Amino acid sequence: MTWVASISIRFMLGNPVFTGIILFAGLKKALLDLLYLYPFYNSEHEMESLRLDEDFLQNNLHRKLLEEYALNFKNKALESKVELLKNTYNL
């Protein structure tokens, strides 16, 4: 899921500095981006160093969608990191 926010930032005098739409990544996309962009998360120890909330992951992370999103990256290293993440956090 991606959240969309429309914002307008103004100076005190009311002149607009920025008006536009900002997209916020959902949990699955943000997690995949993190694993994709930072190659050093390649061991169980490094995955544990993320200090992710295990209860939250167990109860709120849609694992099947996470795997499907990872396939969209078309990156074998990311797919193996997702498997490592699942094994590390017992997902």
Side-chain angles (χ1 to χ4, degrees):
M1 172 181 282
T2 302
W3 292 284
V4 178
S6 179
I7 64 169
S8 177
I9 300 173
R10 300 180 182 274
F11 283 119
M12 284 187 189
L13 300 176
N15 297 323
V17 175
F18 175 83
T19 302
I21 294 175
I22 297 176
L23 301 175
F24 295 94
L27 170 65
K28 293 172 287 300
K29 178 68 166 80
L31 190 53
L32 290 171
D33 285 347
L34 176 78
L35 296 176
Y36 180 78
L37 293 172
Y38 295 97
F40 52 84
Y41 292 117
N42 58 4
S43 70
E44 189 170 313
H45 175 73
E46 292 298 329
M47 287 291 176
E48 289 172 348
S49 73
L50 288 170
R51 299 179 59 195
L52 300 174
D53 184 333
E54 293 183 46
D55 290 332
F56 183 82
L57 291 176
Q58 290 288 335
N59 298 321
N60 299 300
L61 182 65
H62 194 295
R63 291 176 282 285
K64 185 168 175 66
L65 275 179
L66 179 73
E67 292 168 2
E68 288 178 21
Y69 285 17
L71 291 174
N72 289 334
F73 280 77
K74 295 182 179 18
N75 184 293
K76 294 291 182 190
L78 179 61
E79 291 173 31
S80 67
K81 287 181 185 181
V82 169
E83 287 303 312
L84 180 60
L85 176 79
K86 287 169 32 184
N87 292 334
T88 303
Y89 289 96
N90 298 314
L91 301 175

